[in-house]
Amino acid sequence: MSWQTYVDEHLMCDIEGQHLTAAAIIGHDGSVWAQSSTFPQFKPEEISAIMKDFDEPGSLAPTGLHLGGTKYMVIQGEPGAVIRGKKGPGGVTVKKTGQALVFGIYDEPMTPGQCNMVVERLGDYLIDQGL
């Protein structure tokens, strides 16, 4: 299965009538493995800052999580495993696997919990696959 298929069929899928607004799988080095057409054009330093927060949980809290120039307030996640951000009625979930970061961006009416479930389920699957 191609990485694009994971994004299209597992991240951008229909959840109780709702969809993520954007999704991507990005390598730890910032290389794009696959992304939805709606995923923001991000800067390498934004991925570096996210990777740093996985190594040093809490490092993003003072500045916020930036992705494609959009700033998200960092909210409760799982240190070293999941970072969650909120902006207005939407937000972002980032799940770290052994080799990649799985991103999901959502907006209302999708809920944070639905986004977390979609992103973390795929992330856990990839971890189980040794990726």
Side-chain angles (χ1 to χ4, degrees):
M1 188 178 330
S2 78
W3 290 112
Q4 192 62 49
T5 305
Y6 282 109
V7 169
D8 296 342
E9 295 182 6
H10 296 278
L11 292 174
M12 298 300 287
C13 61
D14 185 58
I15 304 290
E16 296 167 14
Q18 310 306 325
H19 297 84
L20 292 174
T21 53
I25 301 172
I26 296 172
H28 287 180
D29 62 357
S31 62
V32 175
W33 293 12
Q35 66 183 23
S36 66
S37 60
T38 51
F39 197 76
Q41 182 63 49
F42 60 87
K43 299 178 186 74
E45 58 268 24
E46 293 173 333
I47 302 301
S48 300
I50 291 167
M51 285 301 297
K52 180 181 178 197
D53 194 81
F54 281 117
D55 295 334
E56 302 169 29
S59 67
L60 281 178
T63 59
L65 182 157
H66 291 82
L67 189 63
T70 299
K71 179 180 176 180
Y72 295 90
M73 181 177 68
V74 178
I75 54 174
Q76 150 260 336
E78 295 166 35
V82 180
I83 300 170
R84 298 185 182 109
K86 184 94 175 105
K87 178 178 174 59
V92 62
T93 301
V94 186
K95 170 77 176 181
K96 183 181 180 200
T97 74
Q99 298 174 26
L101 300 173
V102 180
F103 288 82
I105 299 173
Y106 69 94
D107 218 331
E108 284 184 336
M110 188 175 220
T111 66
Q114 289 170 320
C115 177
N116 296 343
M117 184 184 73
V118 172
V119 172
E120 294 173 38
R121 187 173 56 197
L122 180 61
D124 289 339
Y125 170 78
L126 294 176
I127 290 168
D128 290 346
Q129 300 303 306
L131 298 164

